[in-house]
């Protein structure tokens, strides 16, 4: 099939698709505009009624809160007045008779206001018989009232709510500042506050009835106040509907569209069964405000608009197709000429410097896209020759650099102990993993013996990446191995390595490092942490973090001291150490893997060896990272003390022998 025919078919298809899209768009816009206008009208009316009912409820609740505040203030004021008279008439060490007469006189004054008075003095409770019965009331704090009165109370007192025989009391307990031998409690019954709370529903129904009376269902929209049993309690539509059940039931609507979110105070609107409805859940009252309207009448106007625009669109489509066919015929003739030139360029040897003289490049004398295409082919011929030569040179350089980086990677990995060179023993198990973010990196680890029963384990992270970090890392590994041969402690080794790295460090590079010496017979170990991620010990009973920080990173400043830490591994315990490339691994959303995920994987214990522990972490990182690239060097090492390879433990000292 010729290109001309394809273009004609394409033009017809484009015109048809455009027409159909336009028709769909017109129908959608007409329907959507009318629908949105009516839906917004219903939503606004429902929202106004919904907020009015909620506002009325808030007013009722606010009044009750003010009543509670008034009672608390009344008790506090009574306590203040009583404290004044108590300080005036009661002296320390008074006889029991004087105290009894004083309390009896005050109880008579408080009784008129429904307040009980109790005093605690020298290990005895004083008060009327009715008041002393309240000592056995349970309080919100799960204590008896007598225990609170006997305790130490602040100068300005404390409130508590107590219950006895189905009645509720508010108690204000205080100790007078002028006589600390006394503890007093002023108690008042507050049952009437709870009884008034039940009247809120009736107040809301009366308010809703008045509200709906002023809102005509013909002018606005039908509104219904419905309880959780789907019974209509009030409506601005037919009054005979009050007491009947609404269909669909509000329980079905709640389960289908809201789920557990229906417990929130909110107004939700949706379309179902040919009607647009709004449901607002009033959680404190366990009621729903419902409004609904049929959609059939709303959509009729949109259909008429769509039918009229269909005829206009088809007429315009026919004219567009005629013009498209004529233009495509002219365009394809020019493209055939340009195609011949492109074929000749494709068959030519562009490495020949005289190739441009042999190419027959046609110049199309127009400023439109076809003319630009002809000019572009001419410029392409000149650029291809230059770019091909540059590409050959660039490819050669890139291959040479890749080869050198590959050798550097082999050298770097050769400096670190591999699977075969890590010291082995029935007393322990070691597994390590390292993967640079680039061809070479700055992470490293090292494991070697120090005597018969001691093992040195080290892990580090250089501050940079790539070749500079790899060179700095090789210096660190070399220094550590040499200094451990003649040193008597870890802190001495790290101090000497820090001095060497800080002495000549023009690029201000540094390395965070964790190094330890573990006694493979006893499980005792000592360590120094130079600014590195704290290792984790996985015991049978839980997880432990070695948060001891010995000193700063190596290479930061000369003269730094490093403090020694120590610990012990029981048979079966794991020691897991890692670099920040593990905890800071990022996923596609730039979120970090994080130390919490590391601890979670270790605590789940889906592993039974050091190797499987390492790969459990690695699998979790791969799953978390998804398609995201590796952002930093990743290194981790697991040391596991054997279950049955433990020697008798000697007395623990500050170092490992």
């Amino acid at each position: 099939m010729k290109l001309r025919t394809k273009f004609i078919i394409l033009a017809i298809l484009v015109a048809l698709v455009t027409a159909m899209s336009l028709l769909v768009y017109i129908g959608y816009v007409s329907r959507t505009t009318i629908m949105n206008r009516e839906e917004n009208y219903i939503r606004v009316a429902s929202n106004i009624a919904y907020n009015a009912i909620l506002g009325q409820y808030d007013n009722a609740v606010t009044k009750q809160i003010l009543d509670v505040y008034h009672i608390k203030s009344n008790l506090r004021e009574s306590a203040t007045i009583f404290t004044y008279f108590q300080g005036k008439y009661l002296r320390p060490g008074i006889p029991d008779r004087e105290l009894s007469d004083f309390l009896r006189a005050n109880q008579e004054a408080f009784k008129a206001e429904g307040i009980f008075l109790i005093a605690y003095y020298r290990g005895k409770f004083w008060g009327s018989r009715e008041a002393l019965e309240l000592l056995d009331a349970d309080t919100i704090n799960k204590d008896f009232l007598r225990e609170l009165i006997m305790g130490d109370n602040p100068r300005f007192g404390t409130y508590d709510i107590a219950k006895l025989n189905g009645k509720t009391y508010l108690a204000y307990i205080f100790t007078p500042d002028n006589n600390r031998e006394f503890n007093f409690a002023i108690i008042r019954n507050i049952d009437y506050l709870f009884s008034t709370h039940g009247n809120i529903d009736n107040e809301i129904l009366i308010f809703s009835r008045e509200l709906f009376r002023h809102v005509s269902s013909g002018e606005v929209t039908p509104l219904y106040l419905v309880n959780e049993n789907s019974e209509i309690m009030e409506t601005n539509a037919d009054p005979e509907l009050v007491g009947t059940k609404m269909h669909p039931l509000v329980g079905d609507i709640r389960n289908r569209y809201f789920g557990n979110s229906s417990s929130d105070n909110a107004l939700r609107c949706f379309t179902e069964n040919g009607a647009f409805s709004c449901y607002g859940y009033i959680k404190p009252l366990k009621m729903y405000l419902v409004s609904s309207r049929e959609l059939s009448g709303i959509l009729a106007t949109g259909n008429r608009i769509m039918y009229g625009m269909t005829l206009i669109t088809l007429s315009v489509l026919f004219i567009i197709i005629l013009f498209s066919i004529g233009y495509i015929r002219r365009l394809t003739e020019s493209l055939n000429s340009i195609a011949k030139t492109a074929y000749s360029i494709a068959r030519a040897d562009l490495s020949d410097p005289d190739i441009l003289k042999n190419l027959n490049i046609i110049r199309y004398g127009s400023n439109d896209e076809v003319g630009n295409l002809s000019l572009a082919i001419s410029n392409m011929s000149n650029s291809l020759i230059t770019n091909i030569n540059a590409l050959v040179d660039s490819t050669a350089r890139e291959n040479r650099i890749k080869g050198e980086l590959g050798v550097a990677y082999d050298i770097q990995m050769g400096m670190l102990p591999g699977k075969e060179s890590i010291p082995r023993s029935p007393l322990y198990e070691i597994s390590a993993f390292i993967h640079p973010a680039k061809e070479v990196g700055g992470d490293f680890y090292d494991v070697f013996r120090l005597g018969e029963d001691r093992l040195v384990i080290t892990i580090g992270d250089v501050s940079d990446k790539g070749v500079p970090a790899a060179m700095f890392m090789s210096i660190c590994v070399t220094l550590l191995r040499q200094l451990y041969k003649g040193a008597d402690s870890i802190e001495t080794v790290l101090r000497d390595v820090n001095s060497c790295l800080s002495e000549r460090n023009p690029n201000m590079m540094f390395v965070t490092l964790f190094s330890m010496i573990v006694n493979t017979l006893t499980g005792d170990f000592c360590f120094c942490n130079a600014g590195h991620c704290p290792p984790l010990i996985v015991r049978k009973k839980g997880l432990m973090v070695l948060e001891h920080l010995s000193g700063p990173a190596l290479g930061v400043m000369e003269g730094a001291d490093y403090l020694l830490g120590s610990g012990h591994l029981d048979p079966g315990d794991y020691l897991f150490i890692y670099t920040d490339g593990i905890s800071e691994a990022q996923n596609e959303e730039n979120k970090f893997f994080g130390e919490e995920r590391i601890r979670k994987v270790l605590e789940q214990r889906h592993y039974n060896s050091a190797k499987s522990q390492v790969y459990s972490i690695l699998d979790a990182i791969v799953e978390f990272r998804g398609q995201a690239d590796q952002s930093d060097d990743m290194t981790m090492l697991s040391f596991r003390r054997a279950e049955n390879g433990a020697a008798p433990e000697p007395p623990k000292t500050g170092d490992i022998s």
Side-chain angles (χ1 to χ4, degrees), residues 367-387:
N367 294 327
D368 59 10
E369 287 78 4
V370 178
N372 292 335
L373 177 61
S374 176
L375 180 62
I377 290 177
S378 177
N379 295 333
M380 179 187 66
S381 302
N382 294 321
S383 300
L384 279 175
I385 297 174
T386 303
N387 293 338

Side-chain angles (χ1 to χ4, degrees), residues 12 132 136 162 178 223 248 314 405 425 429 435 459 499 552 561 564 579 584:
I12 295 174
L132 293 179
D136 295 324
N178 50 31
L223 297 172
L314 293 176
L405 289 176
S425 171
E429 178 187 4
H435 192 275
I459 190 169
S499 298
D561 292 326
L564 188 69
T579 63
E584 296 179 2

Side-chain angles (χ1 to χ4, degrees), residues 248-294:
L249 302 178
V250 295
D252 297 337
I253 298 296
R254 179 179 58 205
N255 296 332
R256 189 180 308 169
Y257 291 98
F258 297 94
N260 294 330
S261 65
S262 65
S263 60
D264 300 330
N265 287 343
L267 185 70
R268 310 289 178 88
C269 298
F270 51 86
T271 301
E272 184 185 52
N273 297 329
F276 179 75
S277 304
C278 290
Y279 280 70
Y281 183 55
I282 307 172
K283 180 180 178 182
L285 301 174
K286 297 183 179 179
M287 297 180 185
Y288 291 84
L289 179 70
V290 183
S291 62
S292 181
R293 173 161 288 183
E294 297 294 330

Side-chain angles (χ1 to χ4, degrees), residues 8 76 86 179 203 267-268 441 449 478 520 621 650:
I8 292 174
R76 190 181 186 93
Q86 180 268 338
N179 194 342
E203 293 180 15
L267 185 70
R268 310 289 178 88
R449 295 185 185 276
T478 303
T520 58
I621 293 176

